[in-house]
Amino acid sequence: MTTPDDGAPFLDEEMHRFLGQFQATTRPLEELQESLGAVRGRGAAAHGQVEAEVLASGALGGLRIDPRAMRLGADALAEAVLTAASNAAADLTTQLTAMMTDGLNPFADEVRRSSQKW
């Protein structure tokens, strides 16, 4: 008759090995997630007189208006702010796309290798 402890050391070793592999696999993803949160997009308009910064969340994180930009007039200044923010969002998208591509390529390669085995 077997006891409940039979085979338990093997299962514990296998579980620890599996968890170690899982943590080793997921750590780069966690690091990527942390990096993505720190990205800032930057954009400018009106010959650099208006600069905007967009956070990874998509929120406007900063806006700098050179005093000379006040000469543009209200409508032109508003348009410059929107253009700078749009340029910053585009910059953010470019950076995030590059980071995601670089960060996920090793996993895509692994999936490709695994699927070829089938």
Side-chain angles (χ1 to χ4, degrees):
M1 180 160 182
T2 60
T3 64
D5 290 335
D6 287 349
F10 172 75
L11 291 177
D12 285 346
E13 288 175 23
E14 276 297 301
M15 185 60 73
H16 285 293
R17 186 183 62 77
F18 175 76
L19 288 174
Q21 288 175 338
F22 179 76
Q23 289 172 337
T25 301
T26 59
R27 184 63 197 148
L29 291 174
E30 292 168 358
E31 291 170 356
L32 176 61
Q33 183 179 11
E34 291 169 9
S35 297
L36 292 175
V39 176
R40 304 286 186 265
R42 291 180 176 76
H47 306 287
Q49 293 178 357
V50 177
E51 297 176 347
E53 180 181 77
V54 174
L55 307 177
S57 66
L60 187 62
L63 180 64
R64 187 195 68 75
I65 300 174
D66 186 294
R68 293 173 294 166
M70 301 301 179
R71 297 181 194 137
L72 295 172
D75 290 340
L77 180 57
E79 184 63 32
V81 168
L82 291 175
T83 300
S86 178
N87 291 343
D91 179 52
L92 176 70
T93 299
T94 299
Q95 290 182 61
L96 292 176
T97 300
M99 291 176 74
M100 291 290 290
T101 300
D102 292 345
L104 294 177
N105 268 341
F107 295 98
D109 293 342
E110 181 62 30
V111 169
R112 281 188 213 99
R113 282 192 296 274
S114 295
S115 66
Q116 290 172 353
K117 292 177 185 176
W118 294 97

